[in-house]
Amino acid sequence: AQKVTQAQTEISVVEKEDVTLDCVYETRDTTYYLFWYKQPPSGELVFLIRRNSFDEQNEISGRYSWNFQKSTSSFNFTITASQVVDSAVYFCALNSGGYQKVTFGIGTKLQVIP
Amino acid sequence: DAGITQSPRHKVTETGTPVTLRCHQTENHRYMYWYRQDPGHGLRLIHYSYGVKDTDKGEVSDGYSVSRSKTEDFLLTLESATSSQTSVYFCAISDYGLGNQPQHFGDGTRLSIL
């Protein structure tokens, strides 16, 4: 069984603040894949990043960075110098077990206040 | 953007009526998925397909059936719609399996069952 927990249901920050969205996952498999998706108010789902279980390197893409720690089963997402356009629901997701199924967390709604 | 079209985009219908949602892709991807999105639950997998006429159940498959008679189309059918199936439905596609590629999503279908 696989499970994804996003304990923060809603977060509000003031523009230019840094914010970290937490994601904790559970799986018994040694090979798995983690994803982050963004859902802006317009409703579409936008892929942000994929990470496999053998690659613990952190990744940075502009103002976005991801911290993958197998020791704590976490895959956290940080937005630096947040902007109003970052306001969205962010989903963390997990695929494991060799099946083509993905388990999503319930999402974290981020509101960036100007 | 991945070529995924969901139809209809919005639908209102009555309890007990049959409903079919269509997902059409132009990417020739092998895998296709149907999810529903509800507040407090994130995205939950209904059914997925790993090839023409090959489908499997997800975690919330009761009350839903699917068919895939050709690579580009994946149909989701509610045989007798109930109010609990009011939701936003997303189709997703991926190629070569999730270990190599993330899913890409359609724009969603908002279904209201009165």
Side-chain angles (χ1 to χ4, degrees), chain B residues 48-64:
Chain B
Y48 75 100
S49 169
Y50 47 96
V52 173
K53 298 187 178 179
D54 292 322
T55 64
D56 198 1
K57 296 179 180 180
E59 62 178 301
V60 291
S61 58
D62 287 349
Y64 301 95

Side-chain angles (χ1 to χ4, degrees), chain A residues 37 39 50 91 100-102, chain B residues 33 37 57 97-99 103:
Chain A
Y37 284 86
Q39 187 176 42
R50 179 180 69 94
F91 291 98
Q100 300 308 316
K101 299 182 182 181
V102 176
Chain B
Y33 308 79
Q37 182 178 14
K57 296 179 180 180
L98 292 164
Q103 296 169 310

Side-chain angles (χ1 to χ4, degrees), chain B residues 20-55:
Chain B
T20 295
L21 307 183
R22 181 183 184 231
C23 178
H24 178 78
Q25 61 145 329
T26 58
E27 306 295 321
N28 201 35
H29 282 1
R30 177 181 177 185
Y31 299 92
M32 299 185 75
Y33 308 79
W34 277 109
Y35 291 87
R36 60 177 291 174
Q37 182 178 14
D38 304 287
H41 292 279
L43 281 88
R44 292 179 292 174
L45 181 66
I46 304 171
H47 285 280
Y48 75 100
S49 169
Y50 47 96
V52 173
K53 298 187 178 179
D54 292 322
T55 64

Side-chain angles (χ1 to χ4, degrees), chain B residues 1-5 24-27 29 93 103-107:
Chain B
D1 290 342
I4 310 169
T5 304
H24 178 78
Q25 61 145 329
T26 58
E27 306 295 321
H29 282 1
I93 65 173
Q103 296 169 310
H104 292 282
F105 286 82
D107 291 336

Side-chain angles (χ1 to χ4, degrees), chain A residues 64-108:
Chain A
Y64 294 173
S65 62
W66 291 269
N67 183 283
F68 176 31
Q69 291 195 334
K70 291 175 72 170
S71 61
T72 56
S73 296
S74 64
F75 187 42
N76 296 337
F77 174 29
T78 297
I79 302 174
T80 302
S82 59
Q83 299 176 1
V84 173
V85 294
D86 296 326
S87 296
V89 180
Y90 291 87
F91 291 98
C92 180
L94 167 68
N95 165 248
S96 67
Y99 299 100
Q100 300 308 316
K101 299 182 182 181
V102 176
T103 298
F104 283 79
I106 65 171
T108 296

